[in-house]
Amino acid sequence: MRVSREKAAENRDRILKAASRLMRERGISDVGVDTLTEAAGMTHGSLYSQFGSKERLIEEAVADAIAAKGQELREGSTLGGYVSEYLSAAHRDQPGSGCPFAALCCEMPRQSQGARERFTAGLRGMAGWLSGRMGSGIKQRQRDEEALATLASLVGALVLARAVSDPKLSDDILRSTRKRLGR
């Protein structure tokens, strides 16, 4: 039975959303085709007809996760507000809907060139967004460098806060990085 274009697009979106969430929650290497299709309520055939391969799905799910988080950033968002939200316990505790850079960065070196390129493009876009919120009294190159350092601090702090077994240390990592970036 043929599926309409609208239904095919809806199915594709369901698979992408499920893959994006599961990869951030469990990691790319721990999400198999069976898990993906079950979470999306689809069949293996529908996944392969939409993407052709798991590798292609990973590439598109990485891009989708980055784009979805980027849409949450509003033009009026302040750097301070973003830092506070990013380095919050709520963000730490919900990796499936959180930052794809923090959730996926450690796995990217082992992914396809396509997935790495999409990750890289997303990271550059985020650095550009941050740079645009840096003080206008400094040169563009300095803003760009500060944006990269800020992004590295945000992602690194979130990764560490999620990794440690001590809840107090986790909270301290978030708080101290928030304080450092707020100065």
Side-chain angles (χ1 to χ4, degrees), residues 26-123:
R26 300 179 187 181
I28 295 169
S29 60
D30 284 345
V31 178
V33 172
D34 289 339
T35 303
L36 288 170
T37 55
E38 183 179 321
M42 308 299 293
T43 64
H44 287 149
S46 60
L47 185 143
Y48 286 110
S49 72
Q50 290 287 340
F51 300 97
S53 68
K54 184 181 176 192
E55 182 178 284
R56 177 73 179 175
L57 171 59
I58 290 167
E59 291 173 13
E60 293 198 33
V62 166
D64 184 72
I66 292 169
K69 290 309 285 181
Q71 289 176 351
E72 292 176 13
L73 301 174
R74 294 179 286 297
E75 279 304 310
S77 296
T78 65
L79 182 58
Y82 178 74
V83 168
S84 292
E85 186 178 313
Y86 191 98
L87 296 173
S88 68
H91 187 211
R92 175 198 59 208
D93 297 342
Q94 298 174 352
S97 61
C99 175
F101 302 123
L104 304 174
C105 68
C106 294
E107 290 188 86
M108 279 299 116
R110 293 176 297 283
Q111 298 306 310
S112 71
Q113 185 66 24
R116 293 181 74 200
E117 287 171 359
R118 289 173 184 230
F119 188 89
T120 300
L123 192 90

Side-chain angles (χ1 to χ4, degrees), residues 110-144:
R110 293 176 297 283
Q111 298 306 310
S112 71
Q113 185 66 24
R116 293 181 74 200
E117 287 171 359
R118 289 173 184 230
F119 188 89
T120 300
L123 192 90
R124 282 191 174 120
M126 187 64 212
W129 185 88
L130 289 168
S131 178
R133 275 140 187 84
M134 300 289 164
S136 59
I138 58 175
K139 293 180 183 176
Q140 184 65 49
R141 182 175 173 95
Q142 290 172 306
R143 285 197 307 268
D144 292 345

Side-chain angles (χ1 to χ4, degrees), residues 92 161 164-172:
R92 175 198 59 208
V164 299
S165 63
D166 179 350
K168 182 185 178 323
L169 177 58
S170 179
D171 289 340
D172 289 347

